[in-house]
Amino acid sequence: MGRYVARRLLQMIPVFFGTTLLIFLMVYSLPGDPVAGLFGDKGTDPATLARLRHEYGLDQPILEQYIRYMGDILLKFDFGTQIRSGREITEVIGDAFPVTLRLALLAFLIELVLGLGLGVVAGLNAGRLADNLVLIFTLLIISVPVFVLGFIVRMVFSDQLGWIAPNVSNEELWSELLAPAIVLGALSLAYVARLTRTSMAENLRADYVRTAVAKGLPKSRVYGVHLMRNSMIPVVTFLGTDIGALMGGAVVTEGLFNVKGVGGLIYDSIVRREGMTVVGVVTVLVLVYLVASLLVDLLYAVLDPRIRYA
Amino acid sequence: MPDITKTATAPAEETATAVAAAAPQKAEKARSLWGDAWADLRRNPYFLVSSVLIFFLLLIAVFPSLFTSASPTRGDLVKHFLTKPELGSIGSPEWFGYDGQGRSVYARLIYGTRASITVGIAVTAIVTVVGGIMGMIAGYFGGIVDAVLSRITDIFFGIPFLLGAMVVLQAFTDRTVWVVVGALAFLGWTQITRVMRGAVITVKQADYVHAAQALGASTVRILFRHILPNALAPVIVVATIALGGYISAEATLSYLGLGLASPTVSWGVDISAAAAQIRVAPHILLWPSIMLSITVLAFIMLGEAVRNALDPKMR
């Protein structure tokens, strides 16, 4: 186990650097100049521009910029400063992160509970009415794009029924985050339900289930322990990669419900060409993704007794 | 007739027997995986519905002028937000009302189909070819080649899809359909690579591959004649389902203002414009959203049907 974790951690290192380098190259090969942007349409004299560019290190070769940037992050936990506001990027991310994390966790919880629930119901009734209803429901959810779903939720629940406020207030109460979390988690909810259903329906015919039934175990134990535990592997794989995806996918949902989180920060930064902020946020998201996928691999061993990490 | 045993449920077996009885010489012929899948597909209602939908969508995308005589770009401000839809006059420009610039919502729906369908099909085609070849090489050669290719795949996979596409697209001021296709394909190939690699690793252990190697067949021949046809099924399934996702992604990017932009007629562009006027005229938002959802649904249903037909475990 310890050796496996060590090997996985070592494998994560090139992926971490590769992904951050890739996003760095993508961001900095963009045309457009955030320094010139500071001065608006009027512009300023070339000497000032050159001095500011030098100050932000934008005049050096791109690989050198990357190495210095990574060095600052890893050694001094310094993500640089946001050019527009002059604030530390760690501070900006620190402000935006908690609400997005809460939103993602709430969405995660919703997809876990509802997705698993629907999947189990469909899987145990494979081929019957409940299965088909769940199939139709999940297909509909998957095919309606997130922003359309968001509009529907807003129109129905805030404009027509008045159950929720159209925008999330600055206090960001849990109850206010519920509607955006449903919208954010809906797509993954459908995938979780489909995965659970397929996996349950397949394993229902497995030998170990027949054995468990044959030796007289109660139904609740056969389904709840034997079947569930073995059917969870594809679902856990999906859920693991999904935490990062939820935080990234918050761009649309946060915009729709006016949540001031990471999604809005990324969107603003991309549009304003604040490369440093974009790279910083994506670096954090990549870390979340890498840690989550490591946890998933370790969970495999817990779920399936046949998998053992030496 | 051993090939009939594949059907799991009793009624399906009856129909299969009936079909077999009606055409005995056909049923006795040993069917391949693909023949089997085709027979399965033809009976699947989801497949029939989605094929009809996709046929119509393709027809609209290729010949939009068959469906409307109105221009999608010519606006008449007199008709600004003229919302009264004339449902009796099916297919006429005023059918779904007019948008803020007095352009026919119906005509824009029809002409917007092409952008979505093009993006979906083109991205899927590029991703399947590039990702498929990468996956075949990684899976077949293994060792250091696999390690390097898998790490590269991991690197691209680590970037959140939508965010990455936003960053790439922001670099282009003139965002045509092909720029969007390029951006989505640039980030989307990893999924296919992973699936293909897994499938190839399973297939390459098979006896017929060893036999071909022993007979001295060239690597290219082994890869394309022996391994590819047998490793293709999961790739096709993933690609079909992803197609719907790419259409959805294009609309989302256009909605965010980072995808297609205004002279191009697309559902995403219309939804983005309509979102600002949602309280004044919700109907402009409604129709492109419905079209978009139906299109994505059609491709995802097709993917599900193909998955059921190709995956013997589902039977």
Side-chain angles (χ1 to χ4, degrees):
Chain A
M1 188 78 172
R3 268 187 60 199
Y4 177 78
V5 174
R7 212 181 72 215
R8 276 300 308 265
L9 284 172
L10 283 178
Q11 271 183 356
M12 272 161 64
I13 294 172
V15 176
F16 173 74
F17 284 112
T19 310
T20 45
L21 176 63
L22 181 64
I23 192 84
F24 198 85
L25 290 177
M26 276 158 63
V27 167
Y28 282 97
S29 54
L30 299 186
D33 184 347
V35 175
L38 272 180
F39 298 94
D41 287 341
K42 264 177 162 175
T44 185
D45 60 299
T48 318
L49 279 183
R51 187 177 56 76
L52 276 170
R53 258 191 220 119
H54 182 73
E55 214 168 277
Y56 291 114
L58 294 172
D59 53 350
Q60 276 152 26
I62 195 147
L63 269 179
E64 227 164 88
Q65 282 187 46
Y66 173 74
I67 292 168
R68 219 181 38 165
Y69 177 77
M70 266 299 138
D72 280 351
I73 289 189
L74 295 175
L75 301 176
K76 296 183 262 175
F77 199 66
D78 176 12
F79 280 68
T81 43
Q82 206 179 24
I83 292 178
R84 180 170 56 96
S85 64
R87 291 171 68 203
E88 293 273 320
I89 289 175
T90 39
E91 198 186 310
V92 177
I93 297 180
D95 278 353
F97 218 72
V99 66
T100 303
L101 195 65
R102 279 165 60 204
L103 188 63
L105 281 179
L106 199 56
F108 189 74
L109 208 67
I110 292 170
E111 70 179 66
L112 191 70
V113 173
L114 282 180
L116 276 184
L118 286 176
V120 168
V121 169
L124 292 181
N125 297 298
R128 275 179 252 160
L129 179 68
D131 183 24
N132 279 311
L133 287 180
V134 171
L135 175 66
I136 291 170
F137 173 73
T138 50
L139 281 181
L140 280 180
I141 296 267
I142 292 173
S143 46
V144 176
V146 177
F147 59 102
V148 173
L149 189 69
F151 277 121
I152 297 173
V153 168
R154 267 191 63 165
M155 270 206 284
V156 173
F157 291 103
S158 105
D159 299 353
Q160 307 286 326
L161 296 171
W163 290 357
I164 54 165
N167 293 324
V168 174
S169 73
N170 286 341
E171 282 133 57
E172 290 145 0
L173 306 169
W174 284 102
S175 56
E176 290 175 324
L177 290 177
L178 192 61
I182 291 173
V183 173
L184 182 61
L187 182 66
S188 310
L189 185 158
Y191 280 124
V192 170
R194 312 271 318 122
L195 281 173
T196 313
R197 184 246 168 229
T198 311
S199 170
M200 292 281 266
E202 256 176 38
N203 286 334
L204 207 52
R205 278 177 272 158
D207 290 340
Y208 65 83
V209 172
R210 196 180 311 132
T211 312
V213 174
K215 71 183 181 188
L217 288 180
K219 233 181 178 182
S220 59
R221 190 167 169 82
V222 177
Y223 290 159
V225 179
H226 293 239
L227 185 57
M228 272 298 266
R229 185 170 154 181
N230 282 286
S231 304
M232 281 306 98
I233 286 193
V235 183
V236 166
T237 312
F238 176 80
L239 287 173
T241 52
D242 200 45
I243 301 181
L246 280 177
M247 302 194 67
V251 176
V252 178
T253 322
E254 289 189 355
L256 274 171
F257 290 93
N258 202 18
V259 181
K260 291 171 201 69
V262 172
L265 177 64
I266 294 181
Y267 181 75
D268 277 350
S269 310
I270 290 177
V271 174
R272 289 176 198 277
R273 298 172 190 233
E274 286 267 8
M276 201 84 107
T277 320
V278 178
V279 179
V281 177
V282 175
T283 305
V284 175
L285 290 181
V286 168
L287 274 177
V288 171
Y289 160 75
L290 286 175
V291 172
S293 49
L294 176 66
L295 288 179
V296 164
D297 276 5
L298 296 181
L299 256 181
Y300 286 167
V302 178
L303 285 171
D304 190 338
R306 285 169 299 190
I307 300 175
R308 282 278 173 267
Y309 298 122
Chain B
M1 281 177 272
D3 52 332
I4 285 166
T5 51
K6 72 181 179 55
T7 41
T9 51
E13 210 163 297
E14 274 164 30
T15 42
T17 327
V19 169
Q25 69 275 48
K26 215 174 171 184
E28 269 157 34
K29 212 173 74 184
R31 284 200 228 131
S32 66
L33 171 70
W34 303 103
D36 230 21
W38 175 237
D40 205 69
L41 272 181
R42 274 183 313 190
R43 287 201 307 269
N44 187 334
Y46 288 104
F47 174 74
L48 297 177
V49 172
S50 60
S51 333
V52 170
L53 278 174
I54 290 170
F55 172 75
F56 271 106
L57 288 165
L58 287 175
L59 198 65
I60 295 174
V62 179
F63 306 109
S65 50
L66 278 184
F67 294 85
T68 177
S69 54
S71 154
T73 46
R74 227 197 70 219
D76 184 353
L77 283 177
V78 174
K79 295 170 180 161
H80 170 78
F81 285 147
L82 191 66
T83 58
K84 201 178 67 191
E86 305 204 356
L87 292 174
S89 50
I90 290 171
S92 74
E94 57 270 12
W95 195 17
F96 291 146
Y98 292 87
D99 70 0
Q101 318 246 21
R103 296 173 299 198
S104 162
V105 170
Y106 174 66
R108 290 188 68 79
L109 270 191
I110 293 296
Y111 279 87
T113 313
R114 186 178 285 174
S116 291
I117 299 282
T118 313
V119 169
I121 291 177
V123 175
T124 309
I126 297 173
V127 157
T128 310
V129 172
V130 175
I133 289 175
M134 295 269 289
M136 262 163 66
I137 293 172
Y140 185 71
F141 293 103
I144 185 91
V145 179
D146 182 24
V148 171
L149 284 180
S150 291
R151 286 298 88 72
I152 295 177
T153 316
D154 284 350
I155 288 170
F156 275 82
F157 198 78
I159 295 184
F161 184 70
L162 202 60
L163 299 185
M166 285 167 69
V167 171
V168 174
L169 285 170
Q170 175 64 18
F172 296 88
T173 41
D174 183 26
R175 291 188 288 270
T176 62
V177 169
W178 297 109
V179 172
V180 175
V181 167
L184 292 180
F186 177 67
L187 292 154
W189 56 271
T190 51
Q191 200 188 6
I192 301 280
T193 304
R194 288 183 162 196
V195 173
M196 183 59 114
R197 174 177 171 273
V200 169
I201 286 178
T202 322
V203 169
K204 81 170 173 184
Q205 329 264 341
D207 289 339
Y208 55 80
V209 176
H210 291 308
Q213 281 163 343
L215 283 169
S218 71
T219 309
V220 174
R221 188 180 165 85
I222 293 175
L223 273 178
F224 285 93
R225 293 298 297 262
H226 299 279
I227 290 187
L228 184 62
N230 293 294
L232 207 55
V235 173
I236 289 180
V237 169
V238 171
T240 331
I241 295 181
L243 207 161
Y246 294 133
I247 293 179
S248 186
E250 178 273 313
T252 308
L253 288 165
S254 302
Y255 162 74
L256 287 171
L258 288 162
L260 299 170
S262 195
T264 314
V265 184
S266 113
W267 298 331
V269 172
D270 280 8
I271 294 173
S272 175
Q277 298 154 333
I278 184 169
R279 277 166 203 279
V280 192
H283 69 286
I284 323 173
L285 186 75
L286 187 68
W287 299 116
S289 304
I290 290 177
M291 277 299 269
L292 184 61
S293 305
I294 289 177
T295 310
V296 179
L297 182 67
F299 282 103
I300 286 181
M301 261 167 35
L302 182 72
E304 288 282 333
V306 173
R307 181 210 293 275
N308 282 335
L310 284 177
D311 187 353
K313 269 194 252 167
M314 302 286 290
R315 292 197 179 124

